[in-house]
């Protein structure tokens, strides 16, 4: 190892300090260079980076800025001057025919338009068309074909020299061993592309590693880079690699004439040609744009659905489509001037796990929440992060003081991917789960087969508070003017002590509070009054019974006329209801056996909350408990409207074809549900019109 553990820790601390600094100065330049050399070694040589690309880019950009302002202070070994990380022993080092450059980065719309303007000034072109492609987050590769045969595959290395990984490249299904280049007059060609791993394949790899007790890989890129350099090609084949080609580096005919300027003059056409020869290219997922505004729109559209793409991407690459424009623009030592990467907001970041708080939810569930040093992740500042439960903490062996890799993908809440074990200095502490409720001190329990510890005291302050917050929330009673913060404040001041108190607020006292006036109090009053009209299923959901979500609450209310009737159902009767399993049944049953709960409900009834389902006018029971399912396109009504009609007429909806289904309403282009239903004799298949006649 080039760096000792002590040095690794020092350089990581230094990195965190540099990243945290508001404005870096000339005096920071040597530290920046030192830190970045270390991270390049981790990235290129060990395939095991300790910072994210985003963090590295941030340092790189800062250093470049400082160097531009203080050229006299540029260090000869600065990564901007040319990175030459050591190559690992074992593979032959080979020179690239043409250096493999990097890309300049952009982060927002403004950067993009600046790039377009720069390029227009440089080339004196008025209109420039672009191709936009995904920026694959994998490991780059250069592949040479001579006389139609794959002769060499090399990693990027330092851009000038890479490692010969031909045997491993040959195991990749999406890289043809032979391709008909000669038909197009090509004797020798070098293609540039990216080795990637599909996201689901990567997940499986990590699951396997976890089972075997091996270190988890941080992301698909590390996994691809690692797989490309294993010593045994059979092992490489087992790693599920894919390859996308996105550039021609070099091409000559039999007489050694360069073809890039005569034949391959249009990037989009080049990609189509490669596709026709059997290569995997990002054609379907790329855009050919007439101008930079179209590029901007294409990127926005893509970023929104980026999480649904099968491969990890960390941005998009924008390339001038025409060789003529590319030639006029040329290159810097670092990147082409005719292309730029647009970086998405980072999904991953590293930060320090400073502390753990144990939060108690409305059902008593105790959730460990990690406090981390504030860090930017996918555009928001993260300072706390759920650690889910004890099992997960154990599995990942998270310790206080650990540097952790965190991730936030799409709508998923941020989570800890792994602890960076190599950064431990021995002062980290194992997390100790509380043996009593951290809020009320009561006993905690963890039933067999569950992962979550719970506080057993229903009167626990935290539970009471969370139950109130749930009660007023949007899907529940939706009380206008009252949300989490207000409930907490009122509870803290003892203006609210229980859910019942919500309907007996002392508004005079509220009026005395800072920030409250006649208007806001009036709004609160109205919000509370108005909530009394919520349907009984909303009230049932608002009660916060464990396992009873809004859908289950609706199911339960379909079985009875009055919410109180639920108190009379036995465990067996409850379990007979659709979608009600033993867990839900037990939880509902238990709730109605607690006298305090019944008292609360009786009180709610007295003050005018809704318990009785709205009586259906006579004749609205035409569907009489029969079950329905819709498939295909409906012409006369929307899906939701159709479903509402079923419910309003006393029918029931189910979500899949089975013997329990009475009617399948088949619209246009009905698919597999229709064929499934045809196989079950008892199901009546009807048209949309026939359905409407049934309720007419
Ligand atoms: S073109 C001369 N296109 O991004 C231009 N690169 O940050 C060469 N990358 O080293 C690159 N997807 O490994 C290009 N569609 C794409 C790409 C792509 C990913 C990688 C490539 C490059 C790095 C630069």
């Amino acid at each position: 190892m080039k760096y000792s553990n002590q040095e690794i820790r020092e350089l990581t601390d230094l990195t965190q300090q540099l990243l945290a600094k508001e404005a870096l100065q000339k005096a920071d330049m040597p530290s920046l260079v030192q830190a970045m050399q270390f991270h390049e070694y981790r990235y290129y040589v060990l395939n095991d980076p300790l910072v994210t690309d985003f963090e590295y880019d941030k340092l790189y950009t800062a250093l470049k800025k400082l160097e531009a302002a203080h050229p006299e202070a540029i260090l000869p070994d600065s990564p901007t001057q040319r990175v030459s990380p050591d190559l690992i022993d074992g593979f032959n080092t080979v020179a690239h025919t043409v250096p493999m450059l990097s890309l300049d980065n952009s982060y927002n719309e403004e950067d993009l338009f600046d790039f377009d303007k720069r390029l227009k000034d440089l080339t004196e072109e008025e209109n420039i068309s672009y191709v936009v492609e995904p920026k694959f987050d994998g490991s780059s590769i250069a592949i040479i074909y001579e006389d139609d045969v794959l002769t060499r595959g090399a990693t990027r290395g330092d851009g000038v020299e890479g490692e010969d990984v031909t045997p491993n490249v040959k195991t990749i299904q999406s890289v043809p061993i032979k391709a008909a280049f000669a038909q197009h007059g090509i004797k020798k060609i070098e293609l540039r592309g990216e080795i990637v791993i599909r996201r689901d394949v990567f997940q499986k790899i990590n699951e396997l590693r976890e089972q075997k007790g091996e270190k988890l890989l941080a992301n698909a890129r590390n996994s691809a880079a690692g797989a490309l350099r294993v010593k045994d090609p059979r092992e490489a084949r087992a790693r599920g690699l894919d390859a996308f080609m996105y550039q021609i580096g070099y091409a000559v005919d039999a007489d050694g004439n360069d073809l890039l300027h005569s034949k391959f003059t249009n990037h989009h056409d080049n990609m189509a040609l490669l596709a026709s020869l059997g290569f995997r290219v990002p054609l379907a997922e790329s855009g050919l744009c007439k101008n930079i505004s179209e590029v901007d729109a294409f990127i926005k559209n893509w970023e929104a659905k980026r999480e649904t793409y099968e491969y990890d991407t960390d941005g998009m690459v924008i390339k001038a489509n025409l060789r003529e424009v590319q030639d006029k623009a040329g290159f810097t030592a670092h990147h082409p001037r005719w292309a730029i990467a647009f970086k998405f907001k980072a999904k991953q970041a590293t930060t320090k796990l400073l502390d753990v708080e144990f939060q108690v939810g409305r059902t008593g569930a105790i959730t460990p929440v990690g406090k981390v040093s504030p860090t930017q992740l996918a555009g928001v500042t993260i300072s706390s992060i759920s650690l889910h439960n004890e099992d997960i903490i154990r599995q990942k062996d998270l310790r206080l003081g650990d540097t952790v890799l965190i991730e936030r993908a799409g709508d998923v809440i941020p989570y800890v991917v792994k602890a960076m074990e190599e950064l431990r200095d021995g002062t980290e502490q194992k997390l100790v789960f509380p043996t009593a409720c951290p809020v009320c001190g009561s006993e905690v329990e963890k039933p067999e087969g569950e992962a979550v510890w719970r506080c057993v005291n229903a009167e626990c302050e935290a539970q009471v508070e969370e139950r109130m917050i749930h009660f007023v929330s949007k899907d529940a009673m939706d009380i206008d003017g009252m949300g989490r913060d207000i409930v907490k404040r009122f509870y803290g001041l003892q203006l609210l002590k229980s859910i019942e108190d919500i309907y007996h607020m002392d508004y005079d006292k509220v009026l005395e509070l800072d920030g409250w006036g006649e208007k806001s109090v009036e709004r609160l009053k109205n919000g509370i009054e108005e909530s009394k009209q919520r349907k009984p299923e909303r009230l049932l959901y608002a009660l916060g019974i464990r396992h009873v979500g809004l859908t289950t609450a609706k199911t339960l209310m379909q079985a009875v006329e009055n919410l109180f009737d639920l108190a009379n159902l036995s465990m067996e009767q409850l379990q007979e209801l659709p979608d009600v399993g033993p867990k839900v049944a037990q939880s509902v049953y238990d709730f109605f056996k607690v006298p305090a709960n019944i008292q609360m409900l009786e009180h709610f009834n007295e003050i005018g909350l809704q318990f009785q389902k709205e009586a259906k006018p006579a004749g609205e029971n035409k569907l009489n408990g029969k079950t329905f399912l819709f498939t295909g396109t409906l012409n006369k009504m929307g899906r939701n409207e159709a479903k509402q009609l079923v419910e309003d007429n006393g029918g029931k909806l189910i979500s899949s074809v089975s013997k329990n289904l009475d009617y399948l309403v088949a619209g246009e282009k009905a698919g597999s549900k229709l064929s499934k239903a045809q196989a079950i004799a008892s199901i009546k298949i009807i048209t949309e019109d026939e359905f409407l006649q049934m309720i007419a």
Side-chain angles (χ1 to χ4, degrees), residues 626-643:
K626 291 276 188 260
T627 57
F628 286 80
L629 176 64
F630 292 87
T631 185
T633 316
L634 304 176
N635 285 325
K636 301 198 170 145
M637 55 194 161
R639 267 292 160 93
N640 287 336
E641 197 185 335
K643 288 183 175 172

Side-chain angles (χ1 to χ4, degrees), residues 23 217 220 491 652 685:
L217 298 163
Y491 187 51
K652 286 194 191 123
I685 297 166

Side-chain angles (χ1 to χ4, degrees), residues 305-566:
K305 48 178 203 204
R306 151 190 191 207
E307 300 299 339
T308 62
Y309 191 54
E310 287 173 294
Y311 298 89
D312 275 346
T313 55
D314 59 344
M316 310 226 58
V317 182
I318 299 102
K319 301 173 179 172
N321 188 37
L322 299 181
R323 170 74 56 185
E324 203 187 318
V325 178
Q326 296 181 1
D327 282 346
K328 279 195 202 161
F331 300 83
T332 73
H334 173 264
H335 58 258
R337 290 201 185 88
W338 43 264
I340 197 163
F342 180 94
K343 293 290 213 113
F344 296 146
K345 294 197 173 67
K347 286 198 304 187
Q348 291 192 330
T350 52
T351 182
K352 235 183 167 94
L353 182 57
L354 303 172
D355 196 6
V356 174
E357 260 177 24
F358 293 90
Q359 292 181 354
V360 183
R362 74 185 145 88
T363 60
I366 299 175
T367 308
V369 177
K371 299 286 150 190
V372 297
S373 28
T375 186
Q376 281 286 316
L377 189 61
V380 294
T381 305
I382 305 284
S383 52
S384 58
I385 186 161
S386 170
L387 304 178
H388 302 285
N389 59 49
E390 194 181 14
D391 291 354
I392 292 194
I393 291 178
R394 288 255 161 83
Q395 262 167 32
K396 297 193 172 163
D397 188 21
L398 304 180
R399 303 183 193 177
L400 280 188
D402 264 341
T403 301
V404 288
L405 180 71
I406 63 176
E407 175 168 319
R408 178 168 179 256
D411 295 335
V412 180
I413 58 165
Y415 70 100
V416 175
V417 180
K418 62 167 191 172
M420 309 285 230
E421 283 165 34
E422 50 278 79
L423 298 183
R424 289 189 177 146
D425 62 6
T427 61
E428 296 74 19
Q429 286 168 348
K430 290 237 177 212
L431 295 182
V432 187
F433 238 77
T435 48
C437 172
V439 177
C440 72
S442 302
E443 211 183 299
V444 291
E445 62 168 27
K446 187 165 88 154
E448 273 274 316
E450 287 192 20
V452 175
W453 284 98
R454 280 172 206 280
C455 160
V456 298
N457 171 22
E459 296 314 311
C460 170
E461 277 180 26
Q463 292 194 42
V464 174
E465 184 174 86
E466 289 297 327
R467 279 203 297 271
M468 288 195 281
I469 291 168
H470 173 73
F471 189 86
V472 305
S473 69
K474 206 130 206 78
D475 284 345
M477 300 304 270
D478 189 15
I479 298 185
D480 187 26
M482 213 183 208
R484 171 172 282 274
D485 291 343
I486 294 178
V487 170
K488 284 187 110 153
R489 186 169 179 202
F490 288 0
Y491 187 51
L493 295 168
Q494 295 285 292
L495 278 170
L496 276 181
K497 294 198 200 69
S498 66
I499 292 183
E500 284 107 306
D501 289 351
I502 293 172
Y503 293 102
H504 304 282
M505 294 288 307
D506 185 339
Y507 293 110
D508 291 338
K509 284 220 175 110
V510 177
L511 199 52
E512 285 168 16
L513 298 178
D514 262 1
W516 286 85
E518 296 283 353
K519 259 201 177 148
S520 46
V521 169
E522 196 56 31
R523 175 170 162 217
L524 180 63
K525 239 187 215 173
N526 289 338
I528 291 175
E529 254 335 282
E530 196 231 354
S531 77
K532 291 182 177 171
Q533 298 312 316
R534 301 282 173 266
K535 288 184 176 170
E537 64 240 36
R538 297 270 293 269
L539 173 59
L540 180 59
Y541 168 66
L543 296 173
I545 305 171
R546 218 177 134 194
H547 304 306
V548 179
L550 192 53
T551 313
T552 306
K554 281 183 185 163
T555 309
L556 290 166
M557 280 311 297
Q558 266 167 19
V560 293
E561 286 306 310
N562 189 299
L563 199 154
F564 278 114
D565 297 343
L566 290 171

Side-chain angles (χ1 to χ4, degrees), residues 101-103 133-136 140 194 246-247 317 319 336:
L101 296 183
S102 195
L103 287 166
E133 295 166 356
K135 185 170 187 311
F136 297 101
S140 44
E194 200 87 353
Y246 47 62
Q247 203 75 28
V317 182
K319 301 173 179 172

